[in-house]
Amino acid sequence: VVLHVALSALQGRPRTDAARELLVAGAPALQLTPGNPLDDAFRDWLDHSGVAWRAHHGWSWQAMRRPVWTEGGHLVARAQSVHPPRVGEAASRRWWERAERGDYEGVAIETMFPGWLLGTGDELDRAMDCGLPLAVDVSHLHIQECAGALTTGTKRRLFDYSRIEEVHVSTNDGTRDQHRAVTRETPGLGWARAKLRADCPVIVEAYWHR
């Protein structure tokens, strides 16, 4: 199973309740994300459910979220994919140095939008040049394109990149990250479907609690 639905789709609901509702709605597997209140039953329920899952960013079993980066740019989260630091954060100062020497092998770094590292086409090219494993969020690429920060050439190169470990899908209007429901017109949806057919994990990140 490679199609997952993010637990954050039902933010505000206890984890076990949210997971059960997503499975009833047809979710084949889950992405475990920060944003849902803790409940004592969740880990035991998940262990016995047989549901496939992947952890994302600041996921923690013991808290609403855990730190992802130290000020020195060390990765401390335990997840399959994480956001890079924001531009200007202490962690961003040595982040590229560590990325280019391979410190972040084993985790997919998510493509972002202006204001974050990996938020422009130039930075995506740099990430690909150093062979960084990536989680490509097609809604974030749409924001980059609308901001004039991503060229067609870099997008084409990214879509052909061999080290894509996850694909994240939701919809926005190009101005900000809105996590709207996927439609037939969602930018990048056709490519995401092709990646799904090629056995790349695809994560639906639309917010359903709204």
Side-chain angles (χ1 to χ4, degrees), residues 91-189:
S92 71
R93 295 172 193 155
R94 296 191 60 197
W95 193 87
W96 276 112
E97 173 190 338
R98 296 186 183 284
E100 289 173 338
R101 74 185 185 197
D103 284 5
Y104 306 139
E105 283 295 320
V107 63
I109 310 298
E110 185 170 347
T111 62
M112 298 301 291
F113 44 86
W116 296 75
L117 299 187
L118 302 195
T120 68
D122 288 346
E123 291 198 321
L124 296 181
D125 277 323
R126 187 175 178 182
M128 290 185 282
D129 287 344
C130 69
L132 196 66
L134 296 178
V136 175
D137 188 311
V138 295
S139 70
H140 295 171
L141 297 184
H142 182 54
I143 297 172
Q144 287 193 33
E145 287 183 296
C146 291
L150 177 64
T151 66
T152 301
T154 295
K155 182 178 177 181
R156 187 180 301 117
R157 180 188 178 193
L158 180 64
F159 279 5
D160 289 336
Y161 184 54
S162 63
R163 300 211 66 192
I164 297 173
E165 307 294 335
E166 284 184 2
V167 175
H168 300 178
V169 179
S170 64
T171 302
N172 61 59
D173 64 5
T175 65
R176 58 190 176 87
D177 200 17
Q178 296 161 318
H179 290 271
R180 293 179 179 174
V182 174
T183 71
R184 292 180 185 274
E185 290 73 39
T186 295
L189 182 61

